[in-house]
Amino acid sequence: MINNLVRLGKMSWEEFTKLSTKNRAPYLSDDSDRFVHLIYAQQFNRDNLEYIGQLATKIRMMAKSKEGSDFLSTLLSDKRAMLYFTQPSTRTFLSFMAACQILGMKVAEVRDATTSSEYKGESAEDSVRVFSSYSDLIVMRTKLKGLAERMAWLLSNSKRLVPIINAGSGKDQHPTQALLDIYTLQRSFEDINGIDGKHIVFVGDLLRGRTVRSLAFLLGNYNDVKMTFVAPDAFQIGSDILEYLDKKGIQYDLSQNFKSVIPTADAIYMTRVQDEWDNEEGESAKVDISNFWFGDEELKLLQKHAVIMHPLPRREEISTSVDQDKRAVYWRQMRNGMWVRAALIANIFAVDTEILNFSE
Ligand code: NCD
């Protein structure tokens, strides 16, 4: 662990941020490729994605028995986590809390900057330093792109190195959501050759949906994957993602004709309009998104083995009548979040081997 941390510690913020995201990634892991901080999706590769999936499955199986759960809850019982969520969250917050509890960690939270000293003018940097004095892990969600990364750099340069996990950074990234999405896809396609060769269709507000952006990066680790981005012009995916796909030689399409792509989809990834990012009141409401909803008609066009996903929360983009269909996996997807987050934390704190070696 020490070498990369010393390297990151010796590097100025200016030097560090001159590197491309891909080149920054190694500095956030240790010499044996164990995550120290988890900030963006580009830190994942096929090997660690598969490894975290395997670990998540083992934790999921162990949690079914009292013996297994009791064992898991001893692993990090000497550690405390801080959940620092200054943007709304239900699932990510609760699943991180549950993940910490599965491993026996004690959890504290700050969910509203107006009740913390940030309101008195304390900088986010100073707040994070404060959290690092009381906890061994900081999970943070913020509306500011890049803040989690800066905090990771800051703590790697402090006397108390505490890992940072990004639980959503602005419109930019949500790497642990993408991780649970990958795990859901792995499980859904277990009997049909996994994620390789699959066609993933993203629908909705792809411009401001950070989960889509992070997942597109992760899917770039699989062979012969095809992605279709279905959105009105105003919400179409950012050019940086397309440049990444071009560089990786990954096939993709942009479309506004949702119905025409459903029959060839293996997974449909629906998203809500992210109107909290509107520059002016009512901006999103002017965009007609009614052709980008999934209901009974769309369900008829879907292949038997295909799955419908959503990071949630949903609005009207998936009709509740679809919920009962076996291909609607968004509830399972949400529960998967707890298992992969527990696996990620176990990896960061190096208790993964103990988990994998456990037998009842
Ligand atoms: C997503 C988010 O916050 O980016 N929610 C989540 O974490 N499951 C998606 C959204 O809010 O639309």
Side-chain angles (χ1 to χ4, degrees):
M1 179 185 281
I2 301 306
N3 287 350
N4 270 332
L5 297 178
V6 171
R7 261 193 275 156
L8 181 58
K10 278 189 179 154
M11 210 179 232
S12 70
W13 174 246
E14 286 67 32
E15 257 180 294
F16 181 56
T17 48
K18 257 189 222 140
L19 301 172
S20 68
T21 309
K22 194 168 168 277
N23 289 336
R24 284 180 224 177
Y27 290 96
L28 301 173
S29 293
D30 69 17
D31 284 345
S32 49
D33 286 339
R34 184 179 297 287
F35 295 119
V36 176
H37 306 283
L38 196 267
I39 307 296
Y40 23 68
Q42 291 91 326
Q43 287 175 258
F44 288 108
N45 54 45
R46 182 141 188 172
D47 286 348
N48 59 27
L49 283 172
E50 261 153 44
Y51 184 68
I52 297 279
Q54 190 194 345
L55 195 57
T57 295
K58 179 77 190 214
I59 293 173
R60 183 161 60 82
M61 294 304 165
M62 284 170 73
K64 288 184 198 292
S65 74
K66 176 150 172 50
E67 206 188 341
S69 303
D70 285 349
F71 177 81
L72 287 169
S73 71
T74 61
L75 293 174
L76 295 178
S77 55
D78 57 331
K79 301 273 186 265
R80 286 184 299 273
M82 165 60 82
L83 305 185
Y84 174 40
F85 277 57
T86 52
Q87 258 197 314
S89 177
T90 306
R91 275 150 288 266
T92 308
F93 180 83
L94 290 175
S95 63
F96 264 115
M97 177 167 306
C100 290
Q101 288 166 345
I102 287 172
L103 298 167
M105 296 179 98
K106 285 133 198 129
V107 189
E109 59 181 75
V110 168
R111 296 205 67 177
D112 179 357
T114 62
T115 65
S116 80
S117 282
E118 268 183 70
Y119 194 61
K120 300 186 203 161
E122 185 162 61
S123 66
E125 274 92 344
D126 284 1
S127 296
V128 166
R129 249 179 222 255
V130 173
F131 302 152
S132 73
S133 334
Y134 304 133
S135 47
D136 306 289
L137 169 70
I138 297 170
V139 182
M140 62 186 280
R141 166 171 288 198
T142 127
K143 64 175 191 219
L144 297 173
K145 174 183 174 180
L147 186 65
E149 184 180 28
R150 173 140 182 111
M151 296 304 141
W153 176 83
L154 181 85
L155 293 184
S156 281
N157 281 283
S158 79
K159 290 219 164 61
R160 221 182 117 66
L161 173 80
V162 167
I164 301 266
I165 299 180
N166 176 6
S169 50
K171 290 175 272 186
D172 188 38
Q173 286 237 6
H174 193 348
T176 63
Q177 173 70 43
L179 185 62
L180 75 91
D181 295 336
I182 285 290
Y183 185 55
T184 304
L185 290 167
Q186 282 169 348
R187 290 184 66 192
S188 303
F189 302 144
E190 212 160 47
D191 299 329
I192 47 170
N193 196 35
I195 298 173
D196 292 328
K198 299 297 185 290
H199 178 203
I200 317 293
V201 175
F202 291 97
V203 189
D205 188 344
L206 312 181
L207 182 66
R208 302 174 295 185
R210 54 194 174 190
T211 71
V212 171
R213 296 173 49 79
S214 289
L215 183 53
F217 282 123
L218 294 200
L219 285 168
N221 289 299
Y222 293 84
N223 300 327
D224 304 322
V225 163
K226 181 182 172 194
M227 296 181 223
T228 303
F229 300 100
V230 183
D233 278 340
F235 296 153
Q236 193 48 279
I237 191 90
S239 54
D240 58 332
I241 299 288
L242 300 182
E243 275 160 32
Y244 162 81
L245 299 177
D246 282 335
K247 232 187 240 163
K248 294 272 269 183
I250 291 161
Q251 229 193 311
Y252 66 83
D253 260 333
L254 305 182
S255 170
Q256 300 213 355
N257 189 345
F258 187 20
K259 283 199 168 134
S260 74
V261 300
I262 296 174
T264 59
D266 297 297
I268 307 263
Y269 193 97
M270 300 296 298
T271 62
R272 76 174 166 92
V273 173
Q274 313 274 316
D275 44 16
E276 65 269 39
W277 299 107
D278 281 0
N279 293 320
E280 52 186 78
E281 186 76 23
E283 190 184 339
S284 294
K286 292 191 195 129
V287 182
D288 179 10
I289 48 153
S290 53
N291 289 329
F292 305 92
W293 289 349
F294 196 98
D296 296 330
E297 285 305 305
E298 287 71 23
L299 198 55
K300 283 187 204 144
L301 302 171
L302 192 68
Q303 301 191 78
K304 271 209 180 76
H305 72 266
V307 291
I308 312 151
M309 296 170 68
H310 195 305
L312 301 175
R314 79 168 145 189
R315 293 181 181 165
E316 54 281 270
E317 61 276 355
I318 300 183
S319 158
T320 51
S321 61
V322 173
D323 290 4
Q324 300 313 319
D325 193 277
K326 279 222 297 274
R327 292 164 288 182
V329 298
Y330 26 93
W331 306 119
R332 198 181 326 147
Q333 181 185 354
M334 176 172 83
R335 193 164 161 78
N336 282 341
M338 179 169 72
W339 308 124
V340 295
R341 286 173 174 133
L344 177 67
I345 295 169
N347 176 268
I348 288 176
F349 287 98
V351 292
D352 38 356
T353 319
E354 274 177 85
I355 295 175
L356 293 172
N357 289 342
F358 176 84
S359 61
E360 289 187 38

